[in-house]
Amino acid sequence: MMTQQERLAFGLVGPAVLALVLIVGYPFLMGVYLSMTDSRVGSSAAPAFVGLNNFFWLARSPLFHTAVLNSLLYTFIAVLVKFMLGLPLAILLWQNLPPKKLLRGIILLPWVIPIVLSATAWKWIYDPTYSVINWLLLNLELSESRVLWFGSPWAARISVMLVNIWRGTPFFAINILAGLMTMPTEIYDAAKTDGAGPITCFFRITLPLLRPILAFVLLFSTVMTIGDFPIVYMLTRGGPLNSTHLLPTLAYQIGLITGNLGRGTAVALFIFPVLLTVVYFQSRLMRNRWNW
């Protein structure tokens, strides 16, 4: 027999668990089912069960291989650069600068601006005719001609990465700043009394104390970056020549644009084991099983 307190606990948690099952569990199971069928958008015929044929097709598809490589490269570089920029930016904002409240508000703007608005602005910035970047390069004589930012695969990849970095760096900075502001100053005072310098304090005190915050921010940013659909879709639509597709944009193109819902769902499901691996290692880090 459950006690009254246990029944109350199940009663409070029950609605949240039910909502999670309906919002996450049902779509996931439906996605698994669709990935094993030849379901097509708009087809009135009942989908036929094809087993793992959709996944075998993906394994042979060069376009899918490009999307996987792009997703891993995009996520790794973007998250690494956001971390490398966000950490010193947070330490800078931690100092007693006169307009620190104003600076914190300005730095947070890229994160709070609607992503559609910011992506549209960056599309104008990269426009070959009206690009402010090209104007600066030409007037500073750093380039002899206008740069076609979306004209070649690697230029397009770098362009979308820069937008993701610009948008995501404030998230790192503000969260790390929140962690820095909770640190006890007595530890730093004691370290300075013992003769520890700024570098020693950073690696021996600041980074170890920031480990839970960094683990959370890295995990969240990794999940959001690998599933970054709006920036890539609005800037390049996966082009040029399908060279900037990530897994979400490829799933959208195959599943909804071309109408092959079964294969598109199979692409989307491929993100799940990647995210599961990331969550596993990040959770180990958050439980302090690793030592820095």
Side-chain angles (χ1 to χ4, degrees):
M1 292 293 293
M2 289 191 300
T3 64
Q4 183 177 1
Q5 188 175 7
E6 291 173 338
R7 287 195 297 269
L8 176 61
F10 279 107
L12 294 175
V13 175
V17 174
L18 179 61
L20 189 63
V21 170
L22 293 177
I23 296 174
V24 178
Y26 173 75
F28 175 75
L29 294 177
M30 180 58 70
V32 173
Y33 164 73
L34 290 175
S35 68
M36 297 184 181
T37 66
D38 62 352
S39 178
R40 300 192 66 87
V41 175
S43 176
S44 58
F49 183 77
V50 297
L52 299 178
N53 285 350
N54 289 328
F55 295 95
F56 293 149
W57 178 85
L58 292 179
R60 299 188 300 267
S61 170
L63 180 56
F64 176 72
H65 299 162
T66 301
V68 172
L69 179 61
N70 285 342
S71 297
L72 296 177
L73 190 67
Y74 182 85
T75 302
F76 177 77
I77 294 178
V79 172
L80 179 63
V81 175
K82 284 185 285 189
F83 169 73
M84 294 176 64
L85 294 176
L87 181 58
L89 185 58
I91 295 175
L92 178 63
L93 294 175
W94 190 30
Q95 310 305 314
N96 291 321
L97 301 176
K100 62 180 180 181
K101 292 184 178 180
L102 178 62
L103 288 176
R104 292 172 186 175
I106 294 175
I107 288 172
L108 195 58
L109 282 178
W111 175 254
V112 299
I113 291 176
I115 191 169
V116 175
L117 181 61
S118 57
T120 303
W122 275 97
K123 195 168 185 177
W124 277 96
I125 291 174
Y126 285 135
D127 186 272
T129 303
Y130 306 103
S131 171
V132 64
I133 302 178
N134 282 341
W135 182 85
L136 288 173
L137 293 176
L138 291 173
N139 282 272
L140 295 175
E141 298 183 353
L142 298 177
S143 176
E144 297 180 355
S145 60
R146 298 181 183 274
V147 179
L148 299 177
W149 298 102
F150 301 137
S152 64
W154 279 107
R157 291 185 182 115
I158 294 173
S159 298
V160 294
M161 284 182 193
L162 289 177
V163 178
N164 182 276
I165 292 168
W166 170 82
R167 178 173 171 77
T169 299
F171 176 76
F172 272 77
I174 294 300
N175 280 276
I176 296 173
L177 176 62
L180 290 171
M181 294 178 66
T182 62
M183 291 185 179
T185 57
E186 296 82 2
I187 300 179
Y188 291 94
D189 294 337
K192 290 177 181 177
T193 303
D194 292 337
I199 297 179
T200 303
C201 289
F202 177 75
F203 285 102
R204 296 291 184 177
I205 299 175
T206 305
L207 275 184
L209 292 178
L210 281 178
R211 180 166 49 184
I213 297 293
L214 292 177
F216 165 77
V217 175
L218 288 171
L219 173 60
F220 185 85
S221 180
T222 300
V223 172
M224 296 300 294
T225 304
I226 202 171
D228 189 3
F229 175 85
I231 289 179
V232 176
Y233 185 76
M234 290 196 64
L235 291 179
T236 66
R237 296 291 197 278
L241 301 175
N242 294 319
S243 61
T244 59
H245 267 305
L246 304 182
L247 290 173
T249 57
L250 181 62
Y252 178 81
Q253 177 173 299
I254 295 176
L256 297 180
I257 301 299
T258 65
N260 198 325
L261 192 57
R263 289 179 179 176
T265 308
V267 175
L269 283 177
F270 189 81
I271 305 175
F272 178 72
V274 177
L275 292 180
L276 190 63
T277 304
V278 172
V279 170
Y280 169 74
F281 285 109
Q282 291 287 359
S283 63
R284 288 193 60 181
L285 181 62
M286 294 178 69
R287 288 197 300 266
N288 297 330
R289 291 186 180 179
W290 291 348
N291 294 317
W292 290 13

